[in-house]
Amino acid sequence: MSALEKSMHLSRLPSRPPLPGSGGSQSGAKMRMGPGRKRDFSPVPWSQYFESMEDVEVENETGKDTFRVYKSGSEGPVLLLLHGGGHSALSWAVFTAAIISRVQCRIVALDLRGHGETKVKNSEDLSAETMAKDVGNVVEAMYGDLPPPIMLIGHSMGGAIAVHTASSSLVPSLLGLCMIDVVEGTAMDALNSMQNFLRGRPKTFKSLENAIEWSVKSGQIRNLESARVSMVGQVKQCEGIISPEGSKSIVEGIIEEEEEDEEGSESVNKRKKEDDMETKKDHPYTWRIELAKTEKYWDGWFRGLSNLFLSCPIPKLLLLAGVDRLDKDLTIGQMQGKFQMQVLPQCGHAVHEDAPDKVAEAVATFLIRHRFAEPIGGFQCVFPGC
């Protein structure tokens, strides 16, 4: 998840920017830009990277849940992409364009429950079991009883959910599994500092451009191209705001409180809501999901993850931003040849956003090596050393 993503990665690179909200990161970033350079932080639509969008309906006991997916490609295996906590399917946008140009494959990038544009009855249930079942249900809803060959690829929290999905045999046509920069030992160690990190993040943004600029200058996403499309999936307009620029921005409930005050009852609650309204008028965008409230699920995402990953009886790939992330179980498993591993240095934790071409090359090579997909466009495999 975004907070965990930063916490997991803090110790890796001495030159990495300070934590978001810690004061000096923006000015430092401005200094690095150099004189006279102005970068474009305007948002970019998903349609520049994906071919289509679909809302997949899944029946359950309480009614219907709707899962947003973005798709590209028409032939080859399906790469089912699961994002990290706090992010959305749009974090895979630039990677999608890169992988589609290298191998014949189909992309399905999914907004997990509680994230992006997915709408479910119980968006607060983010347990590994529930989200893994969601993945299986979406596959069934899209493809019925005869799904095409599918490779699960997940980043951070999404990597953990991919492993839980695979180990529970919820995707019958599963042919491969890829985790991106998530390791049980590192993740568990980072949980203690997660809440502190969340408190240090900005709570609101003046505009989408402001949110995109923060994500790049804070180091959350080091690739401006990816940030311009993916941050749209991380933030939303504050509830009750009618127009970001308009003077008539009103928070629901204010009118009722004002009527009560006219009757002579001075309300502290009214003043607080007025203050909140002013904040939302000045900063009309906030995070789509309150990650701090998901704390009770964090342990369940990551505990036992390494052994679950190693026990999946399919070809596996682990992509890391630094070799120091390996825990004992994965180190032994890697030495025994139980999975393929590639280290992509000089990336932040959001490896697939920071270096989408390198991740696409690694995934394409994995697919071709196992004869899961055919190369296109003259793509040449570069087999990694480990």
Side-chain angles (χ1 to χ4, degrees), residues 72-80 100 104-108 143 148-149:
S72 284
S74 57
E75 297 180 34
V78 170
L79 307 186
L80 182 51
I100 285 289
Q104 284 190 339
C105 64
R106 287 173 278 180
I107 293 293
V108 174
Y143 302 111

Side-chain angles (χ1 to χ4, degrees), residues 113-114 120-127 293-294 296-297:
R113 68 167 49 222
V120 298
K121 301 295 182 184
N122 185 6
S123 60
E124 295 182 359
D125 180 6
L126 297 184
S127 67
K293 293 183 177 179
T294 68
K296 62 182 177 181
Y297 299 114

Side-chain angles (χ1 to χ4, degrees), residues 61-82:
E61 306 79 28
T62 57
K64 291 182 179 179
D65 290 334
T66 303
F67 292 86
R68 170 67 57 88
V69 299
Y70 300 89
K71 301 188 294 183
S72 284
S74 57
E75 297 180 34
V78 170
L79 307 186
L80 182 51
L81 311 179
L82 308 180

Side-chain angles (χ1 to χ4, degrees), residues 137-211:
N137 289 337
V138 168
V139 169
E140 183 178 8
M142 291 183 70
Y143 302 111
D145 296 332
L146 295 173
I150 292 174
M151 179 174 176
L152 283 172
I153 303 178
H155 168 249
S156 197
M157 178 198 76
I161 301 309
V163 172
H164 284 280
T165 303
S167 65
S168 299
S169 302
L170 295 172
V171 177
S173 58
L174 192 63
L175 53 75
L177 175 64
C178 174
M179 288 199 306
I180 299 180
D181 216 41
V182 55
V183 171
E184 176 186 349
T186 308
M188 295 302 294
D189 290 344
L191 294 184
N192 292 331
S193 59
M194 181 117 47
Q195 290 287 7
N196 285 336
F197 170 78
L198 289 173
R199 282 190 287 269
R201 293 195 310 175
K203 292 181 172 52
T204 57
F205 299 97
K206 294 180 180 180
S207 63
L208 285 174
E209 288 83 355
N210 180 230

Side-chain angles (χ1 to χ4, degrees), residues 263-304:
E263 296 173 1
S265 173
E266 179 67 28
S267 171
V268 174
N269 195 34
K270 166 184 171 292
R271 290 197 300 273
K272 181 179 183 300
K273 288 190 176 184
E274 287 175 337
D275 291 341
D276 289 345
M277 181 181 69
E278 290 302 317
T279 299
K280 290 179 178 179
K281 283 166 63 178
D282 294 337
H283 298 81
Y285 288 89
T286 189
W287 301 104
R288 285 181 182 264
I289 179 171
E290 293 187 58
L291 290 174
K293 293 183 177 179
T294 68
E295 182 175 11
K296 62 182 177 181
Y297 299 114
W298 298 347
D299 187 270
W301 295 343
F302 303 113
R303 188 173 298 280

Side-chain angles (χ1 to χ4, degrees), residues 48 77 95 111 166 183 288 373:
Q48 289 198 19
F95 165 81
D111 278 348
V183 171
R288 285 181 182 264

Side-chain angles (χ1 to χ4, degrees), residues 22 80 103 225 374:
S22 61
L80 182 51
V103 292
E225 182 186 6
E374 295 294 326

